[in-house]
Amino acid sequence: MCEFCTQHGEGEKWYLVMENYSRELLSQEGRVEFMEDFLVNFEKDKGTSLARLDSLRSRPKLYRFFRRKAEARARAEHWGQVVPIEEIIEIVDMLDSVVRMPCVCRSLTTGRKARYCFGIGIDPHSILGKYPDYSHSLEVLEREEAKELLTSFDKKGLVHSVWTFKTPYIGGICNCDMDCLAYRAQVKSGILNTMFRAEYVGMVDWELCNGCRRCLSSCQFGAVRYSHTMKRAAIDTRRCYGCGVCRAVCEPGAITLSPRRGFAGLSW
Ligand code: SF4
Ligand code: SF4
Ligand code: SF4
């Protein structure tokens, strides 16, 4: 299991622990103010700090030093984990408030507005309503409505993740493609890690796989391979993030998720 399961979940999956969504936790350690500041200054802060880190890559010692510092800060303040749709639905069932809002990082990476970010457990009027950019397009969702939307995102191939605001409080569910800033920093450019992989890895059952190859283009982590000799797909467990979205395109149901901890040597 990932280190947060040990630290914040007593050995269970930390993101399924109700306390990590509680209003009591939200009211402690200046979390509300942290969230306000995070949203308002996101574009300025994240854009600048990633650009600075990137500029240090030609000086490896300095880069490693600042990367370690940035990752330690991210773990303490704003860290994510990929979570498959079944457990995202479990999370939504534990919550009493879900708000759909504009994506801060898609706005930064593409300059366009997109609405795949869900604020959870927060009072939209007390935190987000103060900011015109957010308040004009906040959408308070009923639980069933939120679950339907998330399921439709899964079918579109969007990867779900949960995010902390001063760990271990979880205040967001994200639904991302390659325009996500965390994806670009961690997977595409490898500058900085800000999230764990899921507690799972994907597996292909060759008895069921018909070799259609639809799963190859559905994986944004480049984890699916195709064997021309065997005429079957296979998942590279070292690259797999365990998001499970490749299952949605597999008509024979050949892809399943297995617990990551069952595979020796795989990291989170
Ligand atoms: S992490 Fe994904 S869903 Fe969240 S704001 Fe960024 S792009 Fe949007
Ligand atoms: S989508 Fe399913 S059936 Fe098609 S290649 Fe991938 S695993 Fe095999
Ligand atoms: S192969 Fe792994 S990372 Fe890629 S879509 Fe499937 S579960 Fe996600």
PDB file of all heavy atoms in Angstrom, residues 82 157 159 197-198 200-204 215-225 234-237 239-247 255-257 260, ligand 3:
ATOM      1  N   VAL A  82      -4.215   8.332  -7.802  1.00  0.00           N
ATOM      2  CA  VAL A  82      -5.144   7.807  -8.806  1.00  0.00           C
ATOM      3  C   VAL A  82      -6.053   6.784  -8.122  1.00  0.00           C
ATOM      4  O   VAL A  82      -5.593   5.972  -7.309  1.00  0.00           O
ATOM      5  CB  VAL A  82      -4.350   7.160  -9.975  1.00  0.00           C
ATOM      6  CG1 VAL A  82      -5.276   6.445 -10.944  1.00  0.00           C
ATOM      7  CG2 VAL A  82      -3.513   8.222 -10.685  1.00  0.00           C
ATOM      8  N   GLY A 157     -12.526   7.973 -20.780  1.00  0.00           N
ATOM      9  CA  GLY A 157     -11.091   7.720 -20.593  1.00  0.00           C
ATOM     10  C   GLY A 157     -10.408   8.700 -19.661  1.00  0.00           C
ATOM     11  O   GLY A 157      -9.178   8.764 -19.622  1.00  0.00           O
ATOM     12  N   VAL A 159      -8.935   9.988 -16.234  1.00  0.00           N
ATOM     13  CA  VAL A 159      -8.353   9.298 -15.067  1.00  0.00           C
ATOM     14  C   VAL A 159      -8.762  10.033 -13.786  1.00  0.00           C
ATOM     15  O   VAL A 159      -8.582  11.244 -13.671  1.00  0.00           O
ATOM     16  CB  VAL A 159      -6.815   9.272 -15.201  1.00  0.00           C
ATOM     17  CG1 VAL A 159      -6.156   8.722 -13.944  1.00  0.00           C
ATOM     18  CG2 VAL A 159      -6.406   8.459 -16.427  1.00  0.00           C
ATOM     19  N   ARG A 197       0.472   6.425  -7.741  1.00  0.00           N
ATOM     20  CA  ARG A 197      -0.323   5.576  -8.626  1.00  0.00           C
ATOM     21  C   ARG A 197      -1.456   4.955  -7.814  1.00  0.00           C
ATOM     22  O   ARG A 197      -1.422   5.022  -6.580  1.00  0.00           O
ATOM     23  CB  ARG A 197       0.560   4.477  -9.196  1.00  0.00           C
ATOM     24  CG  ARG A 197       1.680   5.032 -10.056  1.00  0.00           C
ATOM     25  CD  ARG A 197       2.663   3.957 -10.464  1.00  0.00           C
ATOM     26  NE  ARG A 197       3.814   4.577 -11.096  1.00  0.00           N
ATOM     27  CZ  ARG A 197       4.358   4.192 -12.247  1.00  0.00           C
ATOM     28  NH1 ARG A 197       3.870   3.139 -12.876  1.00  0.00           N
ATOM     29  NH2 ARG A 197       5.391   4.808 -12.771  1.00  0.00           N
ATOM     30  N   ALA A 198      -2.394   4.304  -8.501  1.00  0.00           N
ATOM     31  CA  ALA A 198      -3.504   3.654  -7.785  1.00  0.00           C
ATOM     32  C   ALA A 198      -3.003   2.439  -6.998  1.00  0.00           C
ATOM     33  O   ALA A 198      -1.886   1.955  -7.226  1.00  0.00           O
ATOM     34  CB  ALA A 198      -4.568   3.212  -8.782  1.00  0.00           C
ATOM     35  N   TYR A 200      -3.768  -0.343  -7.500  1.00  0.00           N
ATOM     36  CA  TYR A 200      -4.017  -1.480  -8.401  1.00  0.00           C
ATOM     37  C   TYR A 200      -3.087  -1.428  -9.607  1.00  0.00           C
ATOM     38  O   TYR A 200      -2.495  -0.384  -9.901  1.00  0.00           O
ATOM     39  CB  TYR A 200      -5.462  -1.431  -8.918  1.00  0.00           C
ATOM     40  CG  TYR A 200      -6.481  -1.464  -7.815  1.00  0.00           C
ATOM     41  CD1 TYR A 200      -6.985  -0.271  -7.291  1.00  0.00           C
ATOM     42  CD2 TYR A 200      -6.899  -2.669  -7.267  1.00  0.00           C
ATOM     43  CE1 TYR A 200      -7.903  -0.293  -6.251  1.00  0.00           C
ATOM     44  CE2 TYR A 200      -7.816  -2.701  -6.235  1.00  0.00           C
ATOM     45  CZ  TYR A 200      -8.313  -1.509  -5.724  1.00  0.00           C
ATOM     46  OH  TYR A 200      -9.206  -1.543  -4.695  1.00  0.00           O
ATOM     47  N   VAL A 201      -3.033  -2.532 -10.333  1.00  0.00           N
ATOM     48  CA  VAL A 201      -2.438  -2.546 -11.676  1.00  0.00           C
ATOM     49  C   VAL A 201      -3.382  -3.325 -12.597  1.00  0.00           C
ATOM     50  O   VAL A 201      -4.105  -4.225 -12.152  1.00  0.00           O
ATOM     51  CB  VAL A 201      -1.033  -3.217 -11.728  1.00  0.00           C
ATOM     52  CG1 VAL A 201       0.031  -2.322 -11.148  1.00  0.00           C
ATOM     53  CG2 VAL A 201      -1.031  -4.546 -11.028  1.00  0.00           C
ATOM     54  N   GLY A 202      -3.334  -2.964 -13.879  1.00  0.00           N
ATOM     55  CA  GLY A 202      -4.194  -3.632 -14.861  1.00  0.00           C
ATOM     56  C   GLY A 202      -3.572  -4.943 -15.340  1.00  0.00           C
ATOM     57  O   GLY A 202      -2.353  -5.069 -15.420  1.00  0.00           O
ATOM     58  N   MET A 203      -4.435  -5.906 -15.653  1.00  0.00           N
ATOM     59  CA  MET A 203      -3.991  -7.209 -16.176  1.00  0.00           C
ATOM     60  C   MET A 203      -4.885  -7.581 -17.364  1.00  0.00           C
ATOM     61  O   MET A 203      -6.094  -7.313 -17.315  1.00  0.00           O
ATOM     62  CB  MET A 203      -4.170  -8.320 -15.127  1.00  0.00           C
ATOM     63  CG  MET A 203      -3.496  -8.076 -13.792  1.00  0.00           C
ATOM     64  SD  MET A 203      -1.724  -8.092 -13.917  1.00  0.00           S
ATOM     65  CE  MET A 203      -1.402  -9.784 -14.383  1.00  0.00           C
ATOM     66  N   VAL A 204      -4.312  -8.229 -18.372  1.00  0.00           N
ATOM     67  CA  VAL A 204      -5.116  -8.682 -19.523  1.00  0.00           C
ATOM     68  C   VAL A 204      -5.222 -10.207 -19.488  1.00  0.00           C
ATOM     69  O   VAL A 204      -4.204 -10.899 -19.358  1.00  0.00           O
ATOM     70  CB  VAL A 204      -4.469  -8.255 -20.860  1.00  0.00           C
ATOM     71  CG1 VAL A 204      -5.296  -8.773 -22.044  1.00  0.00           C
ATOM     72  CG2 VAL A 204      -4.320  -6.740 -20.935  1.00  0.00           C
ATOM     73  N   CYS A 215      -7.614  -0.819 -26.508  1.00  0.00           N
ATOM     74  CA  CYS A 215      -7.056  -0.360 -25.229  1.00  0.00           C
ATOM     75  C   CYS A 215      -5.753   0.417 -25.392  1.00  0.00           C
ATOM     76  O   CYS A 215      -5.383   1.204 -24.532  1.00  0.00           O
ATOM     77  CB  CYS A 215      -6.839  -1.550 -24.294  1.00  0.00           C
ATOM     78  SG  CYS A 215      -5.890  -2.870 -25.055  1.00  0.00           S
ATOM     79  N   LEU A 216      -5.055   0.219 -26.524  1.00  0.00           N
ATOM     80  CA  LEU A 216      -3.747   0.868 -26.679  1.00  0.00           C
ATOM     81  C   LEU A 216      -3.861   2.385 -26.624  1.00  0.00           C
ATOM     82  O   LEU A 216      -3.091   3.060 -25.961  1.00  0.00           O
ATOM     83  CB  LEU A 216      -3.077   0.447 -27.995  1.00  0.00           C
ATOM     84  CG  LEU A 216      -2.200  -0.804 -27.897  1.00  0.00           C
ATOM     85  CD1 LEU A 216      -3.017  -2.063 -27.823  1.00  0.00           C
ATOM     86  CD2 LEU A 216      -1.226  -0.867 -29.058  1.00  0.00           C
ATOM     87  N   SER A 217      -4.860   2.923 -27.328  1.00  0.00           N
ATOM     88  CA  SER A 217      -4.969   4.384 -27.378  1.00  0.00           C
ATOM     89  C   SER A 217      -5.713   4.938 -26.168  1.00  0.00           C
ATOM     90  O   SER A 217      -5.742   6.143 -25.959  1.00  0.00           O
ATOM     91  CB  SER A 217      -5.664   4.811 -28.670  1.00  0.00           C
ATOM     92  OG  SER A 217      -6.879   4.128 -28.781  1.00  0.00           O
ATOM     93  N   SER A 218      -6.298   4.066 -25.344  1.00  0.00           N
ATOM     94  CA  SER A 218      -7.041   4.579 -24.182  1.00  0.00           C
ATOM     95  C   SER A 218      -6.119   4.830 -22.981  1.00  0.00           C
ATOM     96  O   SER A 218      -6.519   5.437 -22.007  1.00  0.00           O
ATOM     97  CB  SER A 218      -8.151   3.597 -23.768  1.00  0.00           C
ATOM     98  OG  SER A 218      -7.571   2.489 -23.123  1.00  0.00           O
ATOM     99  N   CYS A 219      -4.874   4.382 -23.038  1.00  0.00           N
ATOM    100  CA  CYS A 219      -3.980   4.506 -21.879  1.00  0.00           C
ATOM    101  C   CYS A 219      -3.059   5.701 -22.053  1.00  0.00           C
ATOM    102  O   CYS A 219      -2.184   5.704 -22.912  1.00  0.00           O
ATOM    103  CB  CYS A 219      -3.155   3.228 -21.707  1.00  0.00           C
ATOM    104  SG  CYS A 219      -1.998   3.373 -20.324  1.00  0.00           S
ATOM    105  N   GLN A 220      -3.257   6.721 -21.221  1.00  0.00           N
ATOM    106  CA  GLN A 220      -2.407   7.914 -21.348  1.00  0.00           C
ATOM    107  C   GLN A 220      -1.037   7.732 -20.695  1.00  0.00           C
ATOM    108  O   GLN A 220      -0.212   8.638 -20.735  1.00  0.00           O
ATOM    109  CB  GLN A 220      -3.119   9.143 -20.801  1.00  0.00           C
ATOM    110  CG  GLN A 220      -3.560   9.047 -19.377  1.00  0.00           C
ATOM    111  CD  GLN A 220      -4.307  10.318 -18.955  1.00  0.00           C
ATOM    112  OE1 GLN A 220      -3.701  11.275 -18.544  1.00  0.00           O
ATOM    113  NE2 GLN A 220      -5.623  10.292 -19.054  1.00  0.00           N
ATOM    114  N   PHE A 221      -0.812   6.565 -20.087  1.00  0.00           N
ATOM    115  CA  PHE A 221       0.484   6.313 -19.449  1.00  0.00           C
ATOM    116  C   PHE A 221       1.389   5.422 -20.316  1.00  0.00           C
ATOM    117  O   PHE A 221       2.468   5.033 -19.881  1.00  0.00           O
ATOM    118  CB  PHE A 221       0.252   5.673 -18.072  1.00  0.00           C
ATOM    119  CG  PHE A 221      -0.596   6.528 -17.179  1.00  0.00           C
ATOM    120  CD1 PHE A 221      -1.951   6.293 -17.032  1.00  0.00           C
ATOM    121  CD2 PHE A 221      -0.040   7.628 -16.521  1.00  0.00           C
ATOM    122  CE1 PHE A 221      -2.747   7.105 -16.232  1.00  0.00           C
ATOM    123  CE2 PHE A 221      -0.827   8.449 -15.726  1.00  0.00           C
ATOM    124  CZ  PHE A 221      -2.184   8.188 -15.574  1.00  0.00           C
ATOM    125  N   GLY A 222       0.913   5.084 -21.489  1.00  0.00           N
ATOM    126  CA  GLY A 222       1.732   4.271 -22.402  1.00  0.00           C
ATOM    127  C   GLY A 222       2.044   2.898 -21.841  1.00  0.00           C
ATOM    128  O   GLY A 222       3.127   2.352 -22.081  1.00  0.00           O
ATOM    129  N   ALA A 223       1.080   2.322 -21.086  1.00  0.00           N
ATOM    130  CA  ALA A 223       1.375   1.054 -20.407  1.00  0.00           C
ATOM    131  C   ALA A 223       0.902  -0.171 -21.188  1.00  0.00           C
ATOM    132  O   ALA A 223       1.231  -1.290 -20.814  1.00  0.00           O
ATOM    133  CB  ALA A 223       0.720   1.052 -19.023  1.00  0.00           C
ATOM    134  N   VAL A 224       0.128   0.040 -22.264  1.00  0.00           N
ATOM    135  CA  VAL A 224      -0.389  -1.140 -22.983  1.00  0.00           C
ATOM    136  C   VAL A 224       0.482  -1.431 -24.199  1.00  0.00           C
ATOM    137  O   VAL A 224       0.818  -0.532 -24.972  1.00  0.00           O
ATOM    138  CB  VAL A 224      -1.860  -0.936 -23.423  1.00  0.00           C
ATOM    139  CG1 VAL A 224      -2.430  -2.252 -23.957  1.00  0.00           C
ATOM    140  CG2 VAL A 224      -2.721  -0.429 -22.277  1.00  0.00           C
ATOM    141  N   ARG A 225       0.855  -2.679 -24.336  1.00  0.00           N
ATOM    142  CA  ARG A 225       1.677  -3.127 -25.469  1.00  0.00           C
ATOM    143  C   ARG A 225       0.848  -4.111 -26.295  1.00  0.00           C
ATOM    144  O   ARG A 225      -0.103  -4.705 -25.782  1.00  0.00           O
ATOM    145  CB  ARG A 225       2.917  -3.875 -24.955  1.00  0.00           C
ATOM    146  CG  ARG A 225       3.759  -3.079 -23.985  1.00  0.00           C
ATOM    147  CD  ARG A 225       4.866  -2.336 -24.728  1.00  0.00           C
ATOM    148  NE  ARG A 225       5.727  -1.621 -23.809  1.00  0.00           N
ATOM    149  CZ  ARG A 225       5.563  -0.342 -23.468  1.00  0.00           C
ATOM    150  NH1 ARG A 225       4.547   0.342 -23.956  1.00  0.00           N
ATOM    151  NH2 ARG A 225       6.412   0.258 -22.649  1.00  0.00           N
ATOM    152  N   ALA A 234      -1.009  -6.590 -23.869  1.00  0.00           N
ATOM    153  CA  ALA A 234      -0.457  -6.882 -22.534  1.00  0.00           C
ATOM    154  C   ALA A 234      -0.159  -5.562 -21.842  1.00  0.00           C
ATOM    155  O   ALA A 234       0.149  -4.563 -22.498  1.00  0.00           O
ATOM    156  CB  ALA A 234       0.817  -7.714 -22.662  1.00  0.00           C
ATOM    157  N   ILE A 235      -0.267  -5.565 -20.514  1.00  0.00           N
ATOM    158  CA  ILE A 235      -0.016  -4.330 -19.762  1.00  0.00           C
ATOM    159  C   ILE A 235       1.342  -4.414 -19.078  1.00  0.00           C
ATOM    160  O   ILE A 235       1.655  -5.403 -18.409  1.00  0.00           O
ATOM    161  CB  ILE A 235      -1.151  -4.091 -18.737  1.00  0.00           C
ATOM    162  CG1 ILE A 235      -2.448  -3.774 -19.505  1.00  0.00           C
ATOM    163  CG2 ILE A 235      -0.795  -2.953 -17.769  1.00  0.00           C
ATOM    164  CD1 ILE A 235      -3.679  -3.624 -18.647  1.00  0.00           C
ATOM    165  N   ASP A 236       2.132  -3.359 -19.288  1.00  0.00           N
ATOM    166  CA  ASP A 236       3.435  -3.257 -18.621  1.00  0.00           C
ATOM    167  C   ASP A 236       3.167  -2.743 -17.197  1.00  0.00           C
ATOM    168  O   ASP A 236       2.854  -1.566 -17.003  1.00  0.00           O
ATOM    169  CB  ASP A 236       4.317  -2.275 -19.410  1.00  0.00           C
ATOM    170  CG  ASP A 236       5.674  -2.061 -18.766  1.00  0.00           C
ATOM    171  OD1 ASP A 236       5.870  -2.474 -17.606  1.00  0.00           O
ATOM    172  OD2 ASP A 236       6.545  -1.474 -19.428  1.00  0.00           O
ATOM    173  N   THR A 237       3.272  -3.621 -16.217  1.00  0.00           N
ATOM    174  CA  THR A 237       2.895  -3.255 -14.844  1.00  0.00           C
ATOM    175  C   THR A 237       3.794  -2.156 -14.270  1.00  0.00           C
ATOM    176  O   THR A 237       3.388  -1.431 -13.376  1.00  0.00           O
ATOM    177  CB  THR A 237       2.945  -4.483 -13.903  1.00  0.00           C
ATOM    178  OG1 THR A 237       4.198  -5.135 -14.079  1.00  0.00           O
ATOM    179  CG2 THR A 237       1.820  -5.446 -14.188  1.00  0.00           C
ATOM    180  N   ARG A 239       4.747   0.502 -15.865  1.00  0.00           N
ATOM    181  CA  ARG A 239       4.253   1.804 -16.342  1.00  0.00           C
ATOM    182  C   ARG A 239       2.814   2.064 -15.917  1.00  0.00           C
ATOM    183  O   ARG A 239       2.360   3.206 -15.906  1.00  0.00           O
ATOM    184  CB  ARG A 239       4.308   1.861 -17.872  1.00  0.00           C
ATOM    185  CG  ARG A 239       5.706   1.848 -18.431  1.00  0.00           C
ATOM    186  CD  ARG A 239       5.666   1.977 -19.939  1.00  0.00           C
ATOM    187  NE  ARG A 239       5.378   3.344 -20.331  1.00  0.00           N
ATOM    188  CZ  ARG A 239       6.301   4.210 -20.743  1.00  0.00           C
ATOM    189  NH1 ARG A 239       7.548   3.839 -20.828  1.00  0.00           N
ATOM    190  NH2 ARG A 239       5.965   5.432 -21.078  1.00  0.00           N
ATOM    191  N   CYS A 240       2.087   0.999 -15.596  1.00  0.00           N
ATOM    192  CA  CYS A 240       0.646   1.130 -15.337  1.00  0.00           C
ATOM    193  C   CYS A 240       0.373   1.939 -14.065  1.00  0.00           C
ATOM    194  O   CYS A 240       0.974   1.696 -13.026  1.00  0.00           O
ATOM    195  CB  CYS A 240       0.043  -0.270 -15.202  1.00  0.00           C
ATOM    196  SG  CYS A 240      -1.706  -0.262 -14.791  1.00  0.00           S
ATOM    197  N   TYR A 241      -0.563   2.901 -14.153  1.00  0.00           N
ATOM    198  CA  TYR A 241      -0.975   3.702 -12.996  1.00  0.00           C
ATOM    199  C   TYR A 241      -2.209   3.105 -12.307  1.00  0.00           C
ATOM    200  O   TYR A 241      -2.670   3.649 -11.305  1.00  0.00           O
ATOM    201  CB  TYR A 241      -1.241   5.156 -13.408  1.00  0.00           C
ATOM    202  CG  TYR A 241      -0.021   6.050 -13.262  1.00  0.00           C
ATOM    203  CD1 TYR A 241       1.122   5.817 -14.003  1.00  0.00           C
ATOM    204  CD2 TYR A 241      -0.001   7.108 -12.358  1.00  0.00           C
ATOM    205  CE1 TYR A 241       2.249   6.610 -13.859  1.00  0.00           C
ATOM    206  CE2 TYR A 241       1.120   7.907 -12.206  1.00  0.00           C
ATOM    207  CZ  TYR A 241       2.244   7.664 -12.948  1.00  0.00           C
ATOM    208  OH  TYR A 241       3.361   8.452 -12.788  1.00  0.00           O
ATOM    209  N   GLY A 242      -2.769   2.050 -12.864  1.00  0.00           N
ATOM    210  CA  GLY A 242      -3.899   1.377 -12.222  1.00  0.00           C
ATOM    211  C   GLY A 242      -5.205   2.153 -12.251  1.00  0.00           C
ATOM    212  O   GLY A 242      -6.097   1.899 -11.450  1.00  0.00           O
ATOM    213  N   CYS A 243      -5.322   3.069 -13.209  1.00  0.00           N
ATOM    214  CA  CYS A 243      -6.539   3.904 -13.266  1.00  0.00           C
ATOM    215  C   CYS A 243      -7.760   3.103 -13.690  1.00  0.00           C
ATOM    216  O   CYS A 243      -8.886   3.445 -13.338  1.00  0.00           O
ATOM    217  CB  CYS A 243      -6.325   5.069 -14.224  1.00  0.00           C
ATOM    218  SG  CYS A 243      -6.088   4.547 -15.948  1.00  0.00           S
ATOM    219  N   GLY A 244      -7.550   2.061 -14.496  1.00  0.00           N
ATOM    220  CA  GLY A 244      -8.649   1.192 -14.907  1.00  0.00           C
ATOM    221  C   GLY A 244      -9.481   1.708 -16.065  1.00  0.00           C
ATOM    222  O   GLY A 244     -10.444   1.054 -16.464  1.00  0.00           O
ATOM    223  N   VAL A 245      -9.140   2.856 -16.661  1.00  0.00           N
ATOM    224  CA  VAL A 245     -10.015   3.377 -17.716  1.00  0.00           C
ATOM    225  C   VAL A 245      -9.941   2.549 -19.003  1.00  0.00           C
ATOM    226  O   VAL A 245     -10.864   2.595 -19.815  1.00  0.00           O
ATOM    227  CB  VAL A 245      -9.764   4.891 -18.009  1.00  0.00           C
ATOM    228  CG1 VAL A 245      -9.990   5.744 -16.793  1.00  0.00           C
ATOM    229  CG2 VAL A 245      -8.387   5.131 -18.592  1.00  0.00           C
ATOM    230  N   CYS A 246      -8.864   1.765 -19.182  1.00  0.00           N
ATOM    231  CA  CYS A 246      -8.780   0.919 -20.373  1.00  0.00           C
ATOM    232  C   CYS A 246      -9.884  -0.139 -20.374  1.00  0.00           C
ATOM    233  O   CYS A 246     -10.266  -0.657 -21.427  1.00  0.00           O
ATOM    234  CB  CYS A 246      -7.405   0.253 -20.461  1.00  0.00           C
ATOM    235  SG  CYS A 246      -6.894  -0.549 -18.935  1.00  0.00           S
ATOM    236  N   ARG A 247     -10.441  -0.445 -19.213  1.00  0.00           N
ATOM    237  CA  ARG A 247     -11.512  -1.451 -19.139  1.00  0.00           C
ATOM    238  C   ARG A 247     -12.747  -1.025 -19.908  1.00  0.00           C
ATOM    239  O   ARG A 247     -13.485  -1.846 -20.449  1.00  0.00           O
ATOM    240  CB  ARG A 247     -11.903  -1.718 -17.673  1.00  0.00           C
ATOM    241  CG  ARG A 247     -10.791  -2.349 -16.858  1.00  0.00           C
ATOM    242  CD  ARG A 247     -11.162  -2.425 -15.405  1.00  0.00           C
ATOM    243  NE  ARG A 247     -11.432  -1.119 -14.828  1.00  0.00           N
ATOM    244  CZ  ARG A 247     -11.918  -0.906 -13.616  1.00  0.00           C
ATOM    245  NH1 ARG A 247     -12.209  -1.945 -12.840  1.00  0.00           N
ATOM    246  NH2 ARG A 247     -12.116   0.312 -13.170  1.00  0.00           N
ATOM    247  N   ILE A 255      -9.842  -6.999 -19.413  1.00  0.00           N
ATOM    248  CA  ILE A 255      -8.921  -6.282 -18.512  1.00  0.00           C
ATOM    249  C   ILE A 255      -9.532  -6.176 -17.111  1.00  0.00           C
ATOM    250  O   ILE A 255     -10.696  -5.804 -16.958  1.00  0.00           O
ATOM    251  CB  ILE A 255      -8.621  -4.863 -19.041  1.00  0.00           C
ATOM    252  CG1 ILE A 255      -8.115  -4.926 -20.479  1.00  0.00           C
ATOM    253  CG2 ILE A 255      -7.589  -4.162 -18.153  1.00  0.00           C
ATOM    254  CD1 ILE A 255      -7.901  -3.577 -21.136  1.00  0.00           C
ATOM    255  N   THR A 256      -8.725  -6.510 -16.114  1.00  0.00           N
ATOM    256  CA  THR A 256      -9.165  -6.367 -14.719  1.00  0.00           C
ATOM    257  C   THR A 256      -8.070  -5.658 -13.927  1.00  0.00           C
ATOM    258  O   THR A 256      -6.937  -5.544 -14.395  1.00  0.00           O
ATOM    259  CB  THR A 256      -9.412  -7.753 -14.066  1.00  0.00           C
ATOM    260  OG1 THR A 256      -8.249  -8.561 -14.297  1.00  0.00           O
ATOM    261  CG2 THR A 256     -10.635  -8.436 -14.632  1.00  0.00           C
ATOM    262  N   LEU A 257      -8.424  -5.208 -12.723  1.00  0.00           N
ATOM    263  CA  LEU A 257      -7.431  -4.587 -11.846  1.00  0.00           C
ATOM    264  C   LEU A 257      -7.080  -5.554 -10.728  1.00  0.00           C
ATOM    265  O   LEU A 257      -7.969  -6.192 -10.150  1.00  0.00           O
ATOM    266  CB  LEU A 257      -7.995  -3.290 -11.245  1.00  0.00           C
ATOM    267  CG  LEU A 257      -8.233  -2.124 -12.211  1.00  0.00           C
ATOM    268  CD1 LEU A 257      -8.816  -0.919 -11.465  1.00  0.00           C
ATOM    269  CD2 LEU A 257      -6.959  -1.721 -12.952  1.00  0.00           C
ATOM    270  N   ARG A 260      -1.956  -3.741  -6.346  1.00  0.00           N
ATOM    271  CA  ARG A 260      -0.547  -3.432  -6.648  1.00  0.00           C
ATOM    272  C   ARG A 260       0.402  -4.121  -5.677  1.00  0.00           C
ATOM    273  O   ARG A 260       1.501  -4.537  -6.042  1.00  0.00           O
ATOM    274  CB  ARG A 260      -0.363  -1.906  -6.594  1.00  0.00           C
ATOM    275  CG  ARG A 260       1.033  -1.401  -6.876  1.00  0.00           C
ATOM    276  CD  ARG A 260       1.053   0.119  -6.978  1.00  0.00           C
ATOM    277  NE  ARG A 260       0.342   0.569  -8.162  1.00  0.00           N
ATOM    278  CZ  ARG A 260       0.892   0.733  -9.366  1.00  0.00           C
ATOM    279  NH1 ARG A 260       2.176   0.520  -9.534  1.00  0.00           N
ATOM    280  NH2 ARG A 260       0.173   1.121 -10.405  1.00  0.00           N
TER     281      ARG A 260
HETATM  282  S1  SF4 B   3      -2.977   0.073 -18.593  1.00  0.00           S
HETATM  283 FE1  SF4 B   3      -2.946   0.776 -16.471  1.00  0.00          FE
HETATM  284  S2  SF4 B   3      -2.537   2.950 -16.596  1.00  0.00           S
HETATM  285 FE2  SF4 B   3      -3.127   2.297 -18.643  1.00  0.00          FE
HETATM  286  S3  SF4 B   3      -5.321   2.714 -18.751  1.00  0.00           S
HETATM  287 FE3  SF4 B   3      -5.094   0.577 -18.075  1.00  0.00          FE
HETATM  288  S4  SF4 B   3      -5.099   0.629 -15.834  1.00  0.00           S
HETATM  289 FE4  SF4 B   3      -4.751   2.750 -16.567  1.00  0.00          FE
END
